[in-house]
Amino acid sequence: MYDILIIGAGPAGLAAAIYGKRAGKSVLIIEKESFGGQMNFSPKIENYPGFGEVSGMELSDKMVEQAISLGAEVELDTVLSIEDKIESKILHCEGADFEGRSVIIATGAKHRHLGAPGEEELIGEGISFCAVCDGAFYEGKDVIVIGGGNSALQEAVLLSKTSKSVTVIQNLPYLTGEKKLQEILEADEKVSFIMPAEILSFSKDGEKVSVNINADGEAKTVTADGVFVAIGLQPDNEAFKDNIELQYGYVKADESCTTTCEGIFTAGDCRTKAIRQIATAVSDGATAALAAIKYLG
């Protein structure tokens, strides 16, 4: 029986583990893929306090080392469901079952991928998913934004402030994001649009990334220094839908990080929130852990 079971070992889950152990609680972190979550895909992070520059992998390693050095236990397994026994919760996993007095869901959210050839190989090597995180690397350079919804248009607006040019590629013949964002981009001479266009593949030659597309029946190649894929996020909370309320797939919770089920808390990108960054995930992890500690008494 653990005091706190944490589902997910990204920055939110690891921060929660650190706070839990420092409060003298027994903590088990269950992660199904790799410790560190999405930050592992960032080759360079320059906006995390305390580090002028650090790779996502290095920052991840430091967080994991700190949690383990404090006594947090870790398991590589996939959580299939949560059984609520009121006084405790049982996590039914693929490999085993684990029981705890409280649970923190910190499963994160993955950026949706296009699935086009060459995409996976170029992630972190020319293809990014976050202008806030990586936009500064392309100051004065040419970039491509793929997508036409609010996420893509917000990325394009941000990138247009520092980049030499921004090309927005959308698979529909029109943009679907907010009208105000469309007006801002359409009025910016540095911004151009290609739509409708189907992404066929990605390739890289030296420092340049090429996007091969089918633009309204015509094969074309668009080249830039960097590509930002902005077609939305995908949370992974389906296993918990019988225990807690979800909103568009995200755990419904506010800044208190409490869910609709007593004894179950949440942290990080998997919850309903406006900003999804490493710093805000760590903040959530601390908040959720402190809430769980108070619940445990």
Side-chain angles (χ1 to χ4, degrees), residues 10-11 13-14 19-20 51 55 67 77 119 123 131 136 153 186 211-212 232 245 247 281 288-289:
L14 293 169
Y19 270 75
F51 295 87
S55 73
D77 210 335
E119 180 181 24
I123 292 175
L153 300 190
E186 288 166 355
V211 184
N212 303 305
E245 185 176 350
Q247 190 174 66

Side-chain angles (χ1 to χ4, degrees), residues 144-215:
I144 293 169
V145 175
I146 298 175
N150 280 342
S151 295
L153 300 190
Q154 288 166 353
E155 297 278 274
V157 168
L158 181 61
L159 290 164
S160 69
K161 298 180 185 302
T162 56
S163 298
K164 179 182 178 183
S165 72
V166 178
T167 302
V168 178
I169 301 177
Q170 159 76 323
N171 65 338
L172 299 173
Y174 52 86
L175 301 172
T176 59
E178 293 177 5
K179 188 66 176 177
K180 183 63 177 178
L181 293 173
Q182 294 184 39
E183 291 171 353
I184 292 171
L185 293 172
E186 288 166 355
D188 192 331
E189 61 182 18
K190 294 195 298 182
V191 180
S192 60
F193 303 88
I194 301 176
M195 53 187 183
E198 176 190 4
I199 308 298
L200 301 177
S201 64
F202 296 92
S203 59
K204 189 174 184 181
D205 184 8
E207 296 300 314
K208 297 289 186 178
V209 179
S210 294
V211 184
N212 303 305
I213 63 175
N214 180 341

Side-chain angles (χ1 to χ4, degrees), residues 15-280:
I18 290 167
Y19 270 75
K21 285 307 302 178
R22 285 179 58 83
K25 305 301 182 184
S26 57
V27 174
L28 173 66
I29 310 168
I30 302 174
E31 168 59 45
K32 71 175 183 178
E33 291 178 351
S34 59
F35 294 97
Q38 293 297 300
M39 65 179 164
N40 284 326
F41 296 107
S42 296
K44 188 187 294 184
I45 296 169
E46 296 181 319
N47 59 358
Y48 190 78
F51 295 87
E53 178 183 309
V54 64
S55 73
M57 192 72 73
E58 183 182 357
L59 184 57
S60 169
D61 287 345
K62 288 183 179 296
M63 289 185 183
V64 172
E65 288 170 8
Q66 185 175 359
I68 292 176
S69 68
L70 289 170
E73 298 180 38
V74 296
E75 286 283 347
L76 278 172
D77 210 335
T78 300
V79 178
L80 302 175
S81 64
I82 301 176
E83 180 182 348
D84 186 0
K85 297 184 69 178
I86 309 301
E87 295 297 324
S88 68
K89 320 292 181 190
I90 298 177
L91 301 187
H92 297 290
C93 304
E94 287 185 349
D97 293 341
F98 303 96
E99 187 171 8
R101 296 169 59 205
S102 66
V103 172
I104 297 175
I105 299 171
T107 50
K110 292 183 177 180
H111 292 278
R112 294 184 188 275
H113 294 191
L114 291 158
E119 180 181 24
E120 295 298 320
E121 292 82 356
L122 292 181
I123 292 175
E125 299 293 334
I127 291 180
S128 178
F129 298 90
C130 176
V132 173
C133 311
D134 302 330
F137 303 139
Y138 299 99
E139 183 174 352
K141 298 183 178 181
D142 301 309
V143 298
I144 293 169
V145 175
I146 298 175
N150 280 342
S151 295
L153 300 190
Q154 288 166 353
E155 297 278 274
V157 168
L158 181 61
L159 290 164
S160 69
K161 298 180 185 302
T162 56
S163 298
K164 179 182 178 183
S165 72
V166 178
T167 302
V168 178
I169 301 177
Q170 159 76 323
N171 65 338
L172 299 173
Y174 52 86
L175 301 172
T176 59
E178 293 177 5
K179 188 66 176 177
K180 183 63 177 178
L181 293 173
Q182 294 184 39
E183 291 171 353
I184 292 171
L185 293 172
E186 288 166 355
D188 192 331
E189 61 182 18
K190 294 195 298 182
V191 180
S192 60
F193 303 88
I194 301 176
M195 53 187 183
E198 176 190 4
I199 308 298
L200 301 177
S201 64
F202 296 92
S203 59
K204 189 174 184 181
D205 184 8
E207 296 300 314
K208 297 289 186 178
V209 179
S210 294
V211 184
N212 303 305
I213 63 175
N214 180 341
D216 206 14
E218 181 181 352
K220 291 183 178 181
T221 297
V222 187
T223 302
D225 297 288
V227 175
F228 290 81
V229 178
I231 55 174
L233 292 169
Q234 184 173 353
D236 187 16
N237 297 317
E238 189 68 15
F240 320 124
K241 65 181 181 181
D242 294 333
N243 305 100
I244 55 176
E245 185 176 350
L246 303 180
Q247 190 174 66
Y248 304 111
Y250 293 94
V251 179
K252 188 174 182 180
D254 58 16
E255 298 304 312
S256 69
C257 292
T258 57
T259 73
T260 51
C261 179
E262 187 175 358
I264 298 181
F265 307 87
T266 187
D269 291 1
C270 65
R271 77 168 179 90
T272 51
K273 60 189 303 185
I275 306 299
R276 293 181 169 88
Q277 293 285 296
I278 296 173
T280 60

